Amino acid sequence: MKKNLNSIFTRVNTMVGVIMLLMLTGLMLQSAYAQIRVGFEPRTSVFTPTKTIYNVRGDFTMIGNTNMTLQNYTVGGQNGLSTMIYVDIDGDPNTLNSSSATLQLSDENGANPACSNIIYAGLYWTGRAHNSSSVNTFTVTKGSVTKNYDKSVVYLKHESQSDYTMISASDAGFSENIYYPNGSSGNMYSAYAEVTSYVQQHGLGNYFCADIALREGGSSSDGTGYYGGWGLVVIYENSKMSWRDITLFDGHAYVEGGTANYDLPVSGFSTTQSGQVNMKLGIMAGEGDRPIEGDYFQIINQASNWVSLNHAGNATNNFFNSSIFTGGNARNPNLLNNTGMDISMFAIPNTGNSIITNNQSSTTFRYGSTQDTYIIFCIAMAVDAYRPEPEGLNTLATINGVPYTPGMQALPGQTIVYQLEVRNKGTEPINNAQVVIPMPYSASYVSSSASFTYTPVGNSAPIYDAGAGATGSIVWDLGTLPLPADPDDLLATLTYTLQVTTNCVILSNANCEVAVTVDGIIEGTGATSNIEVSDVPFIQGYTTIEECIGEPIYDPVNVLIDAADYVNQNCQGTPAIPDFAYCNFPGGVIPVTEVLGNFPVGSRFYNAYPPVQGTTEYTINNPFPATSGTTTYYAVPPGITDCYYTFTITVTNITSSPGPVSPVYCQDDTAVPLTATPTNPTYTLYYYTTASGGSSQLSITPSTVTPGTTNYWVAEGVSPSCVGPRVLLTVTVHPRPDCLITGPDGPVCPLTAGLVYSAPADMSSYAWSVSGNASIVGAANNQSVSVTAGSGCNQSFTLSLTVTNSHGCWRTCEKVVSVVDDTAPTFASCPSEAIDLGCNPTTLPDADMAIVAVGLVTDNCDASVSVTASGGGISGTCTKTQVWTVTADAECGPDATCLVTYTWTVVTAPVIANLPQGG
């Protein structure tokens, strides 16, 4: 058998094909008869804690046997009315009860069972050891051997081993483990433990299960007898086999003899798209008596009718009849009447796909009883399925620049280069294809690059997402993977580099060999079928072993770290216990997915080491409690090993809230940082701009530019990732009032008294003031005021107003008013034409005459105006011209001028020249 610890993808995904929890809420005519003691839930593996449906080329199988039989065996004997004794076939004098069964796997399509890869194995055991009260631990003596039995403990051995291995249901992760009634439910108990590592290690062959907590003897008067036995469920894959969707779920359903039925809806699988659909069912039950009829197991068909099921070892009206029908594998003892132990594995008749058809994703089972009392604790189902087939081939390229050869080790701080080749091995393109590679706890991301042989759409560059998974992941969106002409055609290549850790906490753990273990998954949706695939593990190649040649190798890529010298030189005195800190974790529990990426793949987590009876295991179904303080835990890698890691989880629970201070501002005020009052002075206050999400800030100063309210939130805590509830803090900014002075901008001479100015209405207060040559008449706190300007030339005054609104917000504005003389003096008469003085005037004009010529001079501001004349120059020969400039000079304001022009003619008596003398 090929050993394979299976690939782990630690990132928590919601499986597309999640099986519905078996909500056993079906029709019950008498609810007291059929009661669910432990609700049925999907059973997951520690290797794949989020996988609830196994989409594999492969199948499941069941084996098991009874560890009790009739003292006087008959085929039709009933344990409820007979004395029961131990079956003990192992030849070991130290065991009181034992039986065996041989694990064999399918050779479908020429598959070699020895080449199949076991991906999950679960061990169940059940029994009834008391008639009245039924404690979990009790002592049994037979001959010279005394046993201290515990219902949650059994012992498992492969034929290749000389000693048994203790298997404890307290490792199962369910607090009920599964169910151990005391004085109720017929005292029939059921238990479970995962044994994947053990079965992977030992493979095919004969398995013995011994010392189930049972007692020999008679039954109670109600006819419920002693019984006991075990069953092993194995899920495996082989590349030559057909695709199947396999689901496994368990719980504890108690069916008391009477009239009752119960529905079990199941969904999430995807049957094959065409052709005949084959469906296989596996059931484990206890205390179904062979001679008592009336118990049945049904499935609903395509016509919505119930079809009663059976196999070659039972009947439709006596389904639970103490038969072990598991495919003909060898077992010891091989009894027809297993007196209370039912293990059935059979094909559901589906002629013409009348029960399960193509492209179906859900169905419903129904079981019940009219007479017999029994329990059901395990159901498995496999259905022919179709799946798109992306493939990721993950290989090593170099270590610290040196091409990799098998057996090479890496030193702390060195780089390792990997190559991932992506192909599409299916029959359709794959949309939304994505690769996710969780970072191993022993290395960190350095870089990555991608190349394509097709043209991807959108952003196809790989990114490192530190928030994906416990230690971050490389996330590579491939777009749509095309369907190549040859399924071996390479479509895309991712080259990525990791650096080996130098973390002394990891490297100096003397209990374990440290390695860089890398794996990942591909997921996407079939472009034609619209069927989603997720968690498709990488392969690291194909086996070349002759009998298994061509089988994919699903083991992660593993490189040992040679850390001895580094630890001696750098890690002395380093604490060897890592701590994971959490705060206010939702739900009061911490999922194992929060920490499992920090340890080797497949590690199991306990509250003590070594795990012993009573040790608690923490799984996907049994998370760590979010208990305040620091708690020590242990991570144990898979397989039988002395390797373990000690770690602590520190939980801080902050439920208090600070007292927020909600400030009120006026628009454009100078704001100060937000404040609140912490409940504990050691807490730090963190401020946020959203009610949830977003980053915290140690200080926020609000804006006061825009009126209105703005919400902020404040919380107290010890770090940004560890805070209590956020409380609302509201900043209010009131508007400032409009400040506008209406009224005259400025009077002119003559000065105006009683100038009226007004402010906006509806203010809570007004405050007027004036500066300059003016004064306010009357009260200065009214909406309107009257202002009197003073006398004098070119005066001005400034009117100031402060208004306050109902919010107490104020604003000040000003109005500058000018008192000016902007009008020139006026002449009574400014001659527009020259004054003609005639010929040879006796008196020539002078300045006074010019002033008189303009007449009376008046001004709007000045009572008296100074009038002067200048010029008076005479020009011309016969006609003389004289111009005077008369200026009226006002005390305030501009001057006025007038040109006064005089003209006159100069006449001279003619002179008679000497006449010529006559002679």
Side-chain angles (χ1 to χ4, degrees):
M1 170 62 64
K2 179 180 61 174
K3 179 183 176 183
N4 178 18
L5 298 184
N6 196 27
S7 62
I8 282 292
F9 175 50
T10 61
R11 177 180 174 215
V12 179
N13 284 334
T14 300
M15 298 288 294
V16 173
V18 171
I19 186 172
M20 293 177 64
L21 298 182
L22 293 179
M23 299 176 293
L24 304 178
T25 56
L27 302 175
M28 296 176 59
L29 300 181
Q30 299 183 38
S31 61
Y33 292 144
Q35 298 181 16
I36 301 305
R37 304 310 191 194
V38 176
F40 280 70
E41 294 185 357
R43 177 60 68 178
T44 64
S45 169
V46 294
F47 290 94
T48 51
T50 62
K51 184 186 289 295
T52 55
I53 290 187
Y54 295 89
N55 318 115
V56 295
R57 287 187 180 272
D59 205 346
F60 79 88
T61 191
M62 284 183 172
I63 64 172
N65 215 333
T66 180
N67 282 32
M68 296 287 286
T69 188
L70 294 163
Q71 186 178 46
N72 299 306
Y73 175 81
T74 62
V75 171
Q78 179 181 339
N79 58 315
L81 300 175
S82 306
T83 300
M84 298 292 291
I85 61 172
Y86 293 137
V87 169
D88 192 15
I89 57 89
D90 61 2
D92 186 338
N94 294 314
T95 62
L96 295 185
N97 64 76
S98 63
S99 65
S100 70
T102 299
L103 176 63
Q104 58 190 29
L105 304 180
S106 173
D107 60 359
E108 178 185 62
N109 302 330
N112 186 338
C115 301
S116 293
N117 176 41
I118 292 172
I119 58 179
Y120 168 83
L123 180 67
Y124 293 85
W125 60 99
T126 182
R128 183 177 187 273
H130 302 89
N131 289 321
S132 54
S133 62
S134 183
V135 294
N136 278 13
T137 58
F138 53 93
T139 300
V140 172
T141 299
K142 185 170 184 178
S144 62
V145 178
T146 298
K147 288 288 185 178
N148 295 316
Y149 277 148
D150 185 328
K151 293 178 183 177
S152 67
V153 173
V154 294
Y155 295 84
L156 184 66
K157 182 178 72 171
H158 184 261
E159 61 181 333
S160 62
Q161 303 299 111
S162 58
D163 296 323
Y164 280 97
T165 297
M166 186 187 78
I167 306 296
S168 175
S170 62
D171 295 344
F174 281 79
S175 59
E176 298 89 354
N177 305 321
I178 297 175
Y179 185 63
Y180 307 89
N182 185 347
S184 64
S185 301
N187 288 327
M188 293 181 284
Y189 72 90
S190 56
Y192 163 86
E194 182 174 355
V195 290
T196 303
S197 295
Y198 188 90
V199 177
Q200 286 174 338
Q201 209 166 32
H202 297 95
L204 303 178
N206 203 21
Y207 284 84
F208 296 81
C209 186
D211 280 339
I212 302 174
L214 305 170
R215 291 173 65 240
E216 295 182 322
S219 66
S220 61
S221 59
D222 65 5
T224 305
Y226 289 174
Y227 79 97
W230 61 279
L232 179 67
V233 183
V234 174
I235 300 174
Y236 60 98
E237 58 189 355
N238 189 299
S239 65
K240 292 182 173 61
M241 297 180 66
S242 300
W243 279 105
R244 289 180 175 88
D245 281 358
I246 302 171
T247 59
L248 173 68
F249 38 94
D250 57 34
H252 190 99
Y254 171 63
V255 182
E256 187 175 349
T259 302
N261 57 59
Y262 219 83
D263 289 357
L264 288 80
V266 181
S267 68
F269 56 86
S270 296
T271 62
T272 184
Q273 292 177 294
S274 60
Q276 177 65 36
V277 177
N278 299 305
M279 183 176 184
K280 184 172 76 171
L281 193 65
I283 302 175
M284 293 186 191
E287 231 312 88
D289 289 293
R290 190 169 188 84
I292 301 178
E293 298 179 348
D295 45 89
Y296 55 88
F297 199 87
Q298 300 172 325
I299 187 171
I300 197 164
N301 67 11
Q302 295 300 302
S304 299
N305 297 320
W306 292 103
V307 177
S308 294
L309 301 174
N310 72 292
H311 52 75
N314 64 8
T316 56
N317 67 337
N318 191 10
F319 188 91
F320 300 103
N321 69 338
S322 297
S323 60
I324 296 179
F325 189 80
T326 55
N329 56 298
R331 57 189 176 92
N332 188 9
N334 190 354
L335 302 175
L336 186 61
N337 181 5
N338 295 279
T339 50
M341 193 66 199
D342 272 283
I343 305 176
S344 302
M345 186 175 65
F346 60 98
I348 291 179
N350 192 32
T351 303
N353 290 347
S354 61
I355 295 177
I356 297 291
T357 191
N358 302 122
N359 297 310
Q360 187 167 332
S361 60
S362 65
T363 189
T364 303
F365 296 105
R366 173 176 288 184
Y367 64 89
S369 174
T370 60
Q371 294 187 77
D372 207 359
T373 296
Y374 60 90
I375 63 170
I376 298 177
F377 50 87
C378 174
I379 300 176
M381 185 181 73
V383 61
D384 283 356
Y386 167 80
R387 283 291 179 269
E389 298 183 59
E391 178 189 86
L393 175 63
N394 195 33
T395 58
L396 276 161
T398 64
I399 297 180
N400 214 42
V402 178
Y404 175 76
T405 57
M408 284 182 67
Q409 296 187 357
L411 299 176
Q414 289 185 337
T415 56
I416 305 176
V417 178
Y418 302 81
Q419 280 193 335
L420 175 71
E421 296 180 350
V422 177
R423 294 175 172 84
N424 183 355
K425 297 279 192 173
T427 59
E428 63 176 325
I430 301 173
N431 293 334
N432 303 317
Q434 185 182 73
V435 164
V436 181
I437 305 175
M439 290 298 94
Y441 75 103
S442 52
S444 57
Y445 173 79
V446 176
S447 63
S448 58
S449 61
S451 62
F452 299 85
T453 61
Y454 65 95
T455 302
V457 178
N459 183 13
S460 59
I463 63 170
Y464 171 67
D465 185 350
T471 53
S473 300
I474 298 173
V475 180
W476 184 26
D477 289 323
L478 298 163
T480 295
L481 282 179
L483 182 64
D486 186 331
D488 290 327
D489 287 349
L490 179 64
L491 298 179
T493 302
L494 173 67
T495 302
Y496 60 101
T497 302
L498 306 183
Q499 184 174 39
V500 180
T501 185
T502 56
N503 186 334
C504 288
V505 171
I506 295 173
L507 297 174
S508 61
N509 184 3
N511 302 311
C512 299
E513 186 177 57
V514 186
V516 178
T517 303
V518 177
D519 205 353
I521 60 98
I522 306 181
E523 53 193 7
T525 304
T528 303
S529 65
N530 204 35
I531 292 176
E532 297 184 33
V533 288
S534 60
D535 287 359
V536 178
F538 294 164
I539 62 173
Q540 60 166 280
Y542 295 89
T543 184
T544 56
I545 301 173
E546 184 173 351
E547 65 175 356
C548 300
I549 192 166
E551 281 296 314
I553 302 172
Y554 290 97
D555 297 326
V557 175
N558 196 62
V559 177
L560 290 177
I561 301 174
D562 183 1
D565 290 343
Y566 184 90
V567 170
N568 289 334
Q569 296 174 18
N570 301 281
C571 300
Q572 302 307 309
T574 300
I577 301 178
D579 179 72
F580 303 102
Y582 300 97
C583 173
N584 297 343
F585 213 88
V589 294
I590 300 170
V592 295
T593 50
E594 286 289 315
V595 302
L596 60 79
N598 297 284
F599 301 99
V601 292
S603 292
R604 300 172 74 162
F605 303 97
Y606 302 91
N607 64 347
Y609 185 86
V612 295
Q613 181 178 341
T615 300
T616 300
E617 181 182 8
Y618 301 95
T619 69
I620 195 71
N621 294 308
N622 186 41
F624 299 105
T627 305
S628 295
T630 300
T631 307
T632 301
Y633 298 99
Y634 301 88
V636 181
I640 300 174
T641 173
D642 292 330
C643 168
Y644 68 93
Y645 295 83
T646 305
F647 65 98
T648 57
I649 291 179
T650 299
V651 177
T652 303
N653 287 311
I654 299 177
T655 58
S656 58
S657 301
V661 176
S662 293
V664 177
Y665 292 101
C666 291
Q667 186 178 5
D668 298 323
D669 277 355
T670 300
V672 298
L674 301 176
T675 60
T677 304
T679 61
N680 185 324
T682 63
Y683 286 163
T684 301
L685 295 176
Y686 298 94
Y687 297 91
Y688 305 84
T689 57
T690 58
S692 61
S695 59
S696 63
Q697 301 179 52
L698 292 175
S699 179
I700 295 178
T701 300
S703 170
T704 61
V705 173
T706 304
T709 58
T710 305
N711 291 332
Y712 299 90
W713 287 263
V714 60
E716 59 189 16
V718 296
S719 71
S721 61
C722 183
V723 296
R726 301 183 191 184
V727 292
L728 180 64
L729 184 158
T730 300
V731 176
T732 301
V733 177
H734 291 307
R736 289 192 180 275
D738 292 331
C739 187
L740 178 64
I741 301 174
T742 57
D745 293 328
V748 296
C749 292
L751 294 177
T752 304
L755 300 172
V756 176
Y757 296 93
S758 298
D762 300 324
M763 295 293 116
S764 62
S765 66
Y766 303 88
W768 297 88
S769 63
V770 66
S771 62
N773 189 18
S775 60
I776 293 175
V777 179
N781 59 354
N782 294 324
Q783 179 186 355
S784 299
V785 293
S786 178
V787 178
T788 297
S791 61
C793 292
N794 298 327
Q795 299 295 315
S796 66
F797 62 87
T798 300
L799 189 62
S800 295
L801 169 65
T802 297
V803 291
T804 303
N805 60 20
S806 60
H807 301 295
C809 299
W810 55 270
R811 192 186 296 273
T812 296
C813 55
E814 294 181 341
K815 188 177 184 66
V816 178
V817 181
S818 296
V819 182
V820 296
D821 180 2
D822 55 2
T823 303
T826 301
F827 297 100
S829 174
C830 181
S832 59
E833 296 180 357
I835 301 172
D836 188 3
L837 298 180
C839 295
N840 297 326
T842 57
T843 302
L844 292 177
D846 57 14
D848 290 338
M849 184 177 174
I851 292 171
V852 171
V854 299
L856 181 64
V857 178
T858 59
D859 187 78
N860 64 333
C861 285
D862 294 337
S864 60
V865 179
S866 171
V867 181
T868 61
S870 60
I874 298 173
S875 60
T877 303
C878 293
T879 299
K880 302 291 186 180
T881 300
Q882 184 183 45
V883 179
W884 292 93
T885 300
V886 179
T887 301
D889 183 8
E891 182 179 359
C892 300
D895 295 338
T897 59
C898 180
L899 294 180
V900 180
T901 302
Y902 293 97
T903 60
W904 68 87
T905 301
V906 177
V907 179
T908 303
V911 177
I912 300 174
N914 291 325
L915 298 173
Q917 295 290 325

